[in-house]
Amino acid sequence: GAVVSQHPSRVICKSGTSVKIECRSLDFQATTMFWYRQFPKKSLMLMATSNEGSKATYEQGVEKDKFLINHASLTLSTLTVTSAHPEDSSFYICSACDLSGNTIYFGEGSWLTVV
Amino acid sequence: QKEVEQDPGPLSVPEGAIVSLNCTYSNSAFQYFMWYRQYSRKGPELLMYTYSSGNKEDGRFTAQVDKSSKYISLFIRDSQPSDSATYLCAMRRRSGNQFYFGTGTSLTVIP
């Protein structure tokens, strides 16, 4: 099946700093990628939809200036958490839509801890 | 009403049992249906993908879609402890790129 790689898998950063998470589709091109946040034992919460070459579409309640998303190529989308706070600590997951657009494949997820 | 409803469980079964996981949905426009398995602290993994109604089998897994009842199921035969995970259903319409997820069902298979 299609492979989506997410990096880093774990990151610890200090409050006030920024951290970038990368999401790459390794063996297919993805015009659309999605970013989710997941709290322990909770379902996926869609943060934004990222389309290659255009601005991301953010879900209601998600601060676009805090969670910067860039989708510069058909195989790479990045999420930058700016001025991180401890409450931003969470599991962040990306997914990529295959060219048929009919299904999505998830990355392995990134654990962010802000101290 | 949520677009997709899924019983969160938890569901606990003995090894070797047949497991039935289900989702209901309200939007008759959904055409593509997926099941994902998510192990603790990992990203979801695509298990099954079906289009429209019918059954699809892959090894111990069978996915069923009943569009008339707006109901989808995932059956796991001969369940194994390694099947212990959270199972998410997902679906989307023919057009657009929005996917709708169930909340996930937590499954534990006891050896």
Side-chain angles (χ1 to χ4, degrees):
Chain A
V3 179
V4 176
S5 176
Q6 198 171 332
H7 178 79
S9 57
R10 288 182 177 276
V11 57
I12 300 173
C13 70
K14 291 185 178 180
S15 287
T17 62
S18 296
V19 62
K20 181 187 286 188
I21 301 170
E22 292 188 347
C23 180
R24 292 181 185 272
S25 54
L26 296 186
D27 51 0
F28 66 101
Q29 292 181 327
T31 54
T32 304
M33 290 185 173
F34 304 89
W35 287 95
Y36 303 84
R37 186 171 178 177
Q38 189 175 38
F39 293 100
K41 299 188 184 297
K42 298 293 184 184
S43 186
L44 299 167
M45 185 186 80
L46 180 65
M47 297 175 67
T49 302
S50 161
N51 291 296
E52 185 264 338
S54 62
K55 289 184 178 180
T57 302
Y58 290 82
E59 296 298 302
Q60 193 172 7
V62 178
E63 298 176 59
K64 61 182 179 182
D65 293 330
K66 179 166 185 64
F67 299 100
L68 299 178
I69 291 171
N70 182 276
H71 192 162
S73 78
L74 285 172
T75 59
L76 174 65
S77 177
T78 60
L79 167 67
T80 301
V81 182
T82 63
S83 187
H85 289 277
E87 56 263 33
D88 297 326
S89 299
S90 190
F91 189 48
Y92 292 88
I93 312 174
C94 72
S95 68
C97 207
D98 66 5
L99 286 182
S100 73
N102 296 331
T103 192
I104 54 176
Y105 301 89
F106 286 87
E108 307 96 325
S110 298
W111 284 97
L112 169 63
T113 302
V114 184
V115 297
Chain B
Q1 185 186 9
K2 285 185 182 177
E3 298 264 15
V4 181
E5 299 275 1
Q6 184 176 9
D7 187 338
L11 183 61
S12 186
V13 300
E15 184 174 353
I18 297 174
V19 176
S20 172
L21 303 165
N22 310 295
C23 287
T24 58
Y25 61 95
S26 56
N27 191 336
S28 58
F30 288 140
Q31 293 279 352
Y32 301 96
F33 304 91
M34 290 136 275
W35 285 96
Y36 293 87
R37 176 176 62 195
Q38 185 177 21
Y39 291 115
S40 179
R41 306 169 76 86
K42 298 286 186 183
E45 169 195 9
L46 179 65
L47 276 180
M48 300 286 282
Y49 160 73
T50 52
Y51 168 70
S52 196
S53 281
N55 293 0
K56 185 173 183 179
E57 189 174 318
D58 184 1
R60 296 184 296 111
F61 299 92
T62 299
Q64 274 187 0
V65 175
D66 182 348
K67 291 193 70 183
S68 61
S69 301
K70 298 191 184 69
Y71 189 90
I72 68 170
S73 300
L74 177 71
F75 297 97
I76 307 174
R77 291 185 299 281
D78 187 26
S79 56
Q80 303 294 309
S82 57
D83 295 328
S84 298
T86 296
Y87 290 80
L88 295 153
C89 64
M91 48 198 80
R92 60 155 285 189
R93 295 185 293 264
R94 178 187 288 273
S95 61
N97 63 1
Q98 194 168 5
F99 290 79
Y100 297 83
F101 286 87
T103 51
T105 300
S106 175
L107 170 68
T108 301
V109 181
I110 303 167

